[in-house]
Amino acid sequence: MQSIPESLAGWLRVFSKAVRERDFTTGRNLFAGDVTAFGTVYFRVDNLDELVSGQWQTVWPRTTGFDFNHASARSVATADLATVMAEWESTGLDGAQNPVLRRGRATIVLKKSADGWKAVHTHFSINPHSTHDPVLRHAGSR
């Protein structure tokens, strides 16, 4: 695993800014039309329109401050295919409209095109907490 090259770090910065500014057009331009994605809201989407309508339009307007932890970013890359792994965080609102820190991790598979790097797969998840995992929650109760 290597630290992330500038071309991929730049992709992360542009995507983060798009999320923060709710700039769906810029976000769309970073993705392949046939992207498959796993998200924090939708289990799976199989194209960019589903990703935007099912995941992004649900989450982006309800969060602020989204950014990747660039120091945590790692990648494996060839000339035309890259996988990036990075931690991320944002602030969301709970049911009582109180700010809540959201932390998670992402795996992004990118393919080089004539227009630059395009995401062909993403997997965003919230950090695991033992209180949310029934296996871990019951492991300490023996």
Side-chain angles (χ1 to χ4, degrees):
M1 230 37 80
Q2 60 187 6
S3 58
I4 189 165
E6 179 52 38
S7 62
L8 299 175
W11 189 99
L12 294 178
R13 285 192 300 274
V14 172
F15 182 72
S16 295
K17 184 178 179 187
V19 174
R20 287 190 304 273
E21 296 180 356
R22 296 164 181 83
D23 182 351
F24 297 103
T25 300
T26 296
R28 289 180 72 89
N29 288 334
L30 297 170
F31 283 72
D34 60 350
V35 64
T36 298
F38 304 136
T40 59
V41 174
Y42 271 68
F43 178 75
R44 177 187 173 133
V45 296
D46 288 310
N47 62 62
L48 185 53
D49 291 335
E50 287 180 354
L51 180 59
V52 172
S53 66
Q55 181 70 35
W56 295 359
Q57 289 180 348
T58 301
V59 175
W60 293 12
R62 293 172 175 84
T63 61
T64 59
F66 178 88
D67 204 357
F68 290 98
N69 175 333
H70 295 274
S72 76
R74 299 291 181 269
S75 69
V76 177
T78 64
D80 61 352
L81 193 63
T83 302
V84 176
M85 294 76 52
E87 297 168 20
W88 58 266
E89 72 176 48
S90 68
T91 301
L93 297 174
D94 67 12
Q97 300 300 300
N98 297 311
V100 176
L101 183 61
R102 302 171 72 240
R103 287 189 174 135
R105 44 282 138 93
T107 302
I108 304 162
V109 179
L110 301 129
K111 187 172 182 180
K112 190 75 169 247
S113 75
D115 298 329
W117 291 104
K118 302 287 183 179
V120 295
H121 173 72
T122 60
H123 186 160
F124 280 77
S125 61
I126 300 290
N127 280 354
H129 302 285
S130 60
T131 58
H132 295 127
D133 186 338
V135 171
L136 297 177
R137 185 171 49 233
H138 297 295
S141 62
R142 289 188 208 182

